[in-house]
Amino acid sequence: MNAGHTETVRALRIGVAGCADIALRRMLPAFAASPHTEPTAVASRSSEKARAAAETFGCAAVEGYDALLERPDVDAVYIPLPVALHAPWTERALRAGKHVLAEKPLTARAADTARLLDLARERGLVLAENYLFVHHSAYTAVRDLVEAGAIGGVRALSASFTIPPRPADDIRYRADLDGGALLDIGVYPLRLASLLLGSELRVRGAVLRHDTVRGVDLGGSALLGDPGTGVSAQLVFGMEHAYTAGWRLLGSEGSLTLDRAYSPPAGHRPVLRIERPDGTEERILPAHDQATAAVAAFAEAVRRAGQGAGQDKGRSSGDAAAVLRQAELVDAVRQAAHLVKI
Ligand SMILES: NC(=O)c1ccc[n+]([C@@H]2O[C@H](COP(=O)([O-])OP(=O)(O)OC[C@H]3O[C@@H](n4cnc5c(N)ncnc54)[C@H](OP(=O)(O)O)[C@@H]3O)[C@@H](O)[C@H]2O)c1
């Protein structure tokens, strides 16, 4: 980078660790389309897979993730690996001096998340967790409506994210890779609950249906409450269900309902249903590409870290605090859970 006063803002050079479905389908197109980022290298355990992805996105193909971390043309690494590999590869990337955008959940245990956030803060690097939906403008509209009193005082959230079974060899059925419905799917409504109800939520109960053959949970539910206000959240998640991806926020004078709440395609116009005693309105919100928005937010965080703001980041700052709180909620669900063996 130019150290003078006329420093130009260069696109953040991204290296992708693994030709994951989410990388090829959503994130690489977003990195390539964004003016803030440029994919420079794609790594895979298989050189053939890396070559095919690199050709599509006009960047270098790399065999092995270690080789990716050694590249000087990579400023930040995107990690879309199975959950159990997030922590070790995030740590290696941070130690190699790279900023990291890790897929959700950042790790499987809050202690690992805390350790990695500390490491990133010590090194002045950005460590972000890739929940896309929090960047969707629909949530700004929801927050504005709630703050304007559209549903009165907020009382409760009910949310579900459930999907049909995946192919038998899916990483979500692998206990050794930290698969399971809580870590893959339940994390979304948990993140949603903090987003809509704030940071004071505590887990008050949970049930997990545990597949004893594969050693992973296939679904479950959790009850959370804010000890100060009594506002509560009932969350359902799973991967042996009909597809649902919606929530309802209930207030003293009405409610808000949103479907396709977590992974709407870029062109989708969310329909926010506002129910009040005087009638029901279906407000059609603008389409928003949440992957592009997440990429822009990550690039902006790196830019700010480059200006020294990274030193102030850490557990007390906004994003890192939210990442740690989310990991603590996931741990708390696991600890509270009544395990039903099937
Ligand atoms: N933010 C979102 O909207 C979103 C959506 C879906 C998934 N995700 C998250 O993204 C991550 C990947 O999910 P996915 O569905 O894209 O998974 P996937 O298609 O199975 O990809 C995982 C990748 O990890 C690499 N890998 C390394 N070691 C592996 C091993 N032992 N077994 C299998 N793969 C291994 C493979 O890349 P190479 O073979 O190329 O090395 C593979 O392509 C998960 O953490 C998931 O929770 C996020």
Side-chain angles (χ1 to χ4, degrees), residues 156-177:
L157 171 73
S158 54
S160 74
F161 193 12
T162 57
I163 63 170
R166 306 277 304 174
D169 61 353
D170 194 281
I171 55 170
R172 289 156 187 79
Y173 296 120
R174 293 271 303 272
D176 59 329
L177 297 178

Side-chain angles (χ1 to χ4, degrees), residues 14-84:
I14 307 280
V16 175
C19 293
D21 172 63
I22 184 66
L24 300 177
R25 196 166 44 80
R26 213 70 213 266
M27 296 307 295
L28 266 161
F31 291 133
S34 171
H36 309 291
T37 55
E38 171 197 356
T40 46
V42 182
S44 171
R45 296 167 301 172
S46 133
S47 56
E48 233 167 82
K49 270 164 81 177
R51 243 196 325 273
E55 230 166 74
T56 307
F57 295 100
C59 55
V62 179
E63 186 177 344
Y65 312 142
D66 270 318
L68 184 75
L69 302 187
E70 286 163 11
R71 290 183 71 101
D73 63 352
V74 168
D75 305 313
V77 177
Y78 168 59
I79 301 183
L81 299 173
V83 177

Side-chain angles (χ1 to χ4, degrees), residues 76-95:
V77 177
Y78 168 59
I79 301 183
L81 299 173
V83 177
L85 302 181
H86 291 183
W89 283 104
T90 295
E91 176 162 357
R92 286 161 98 147
L94 291 171
R95 292 197 186 281

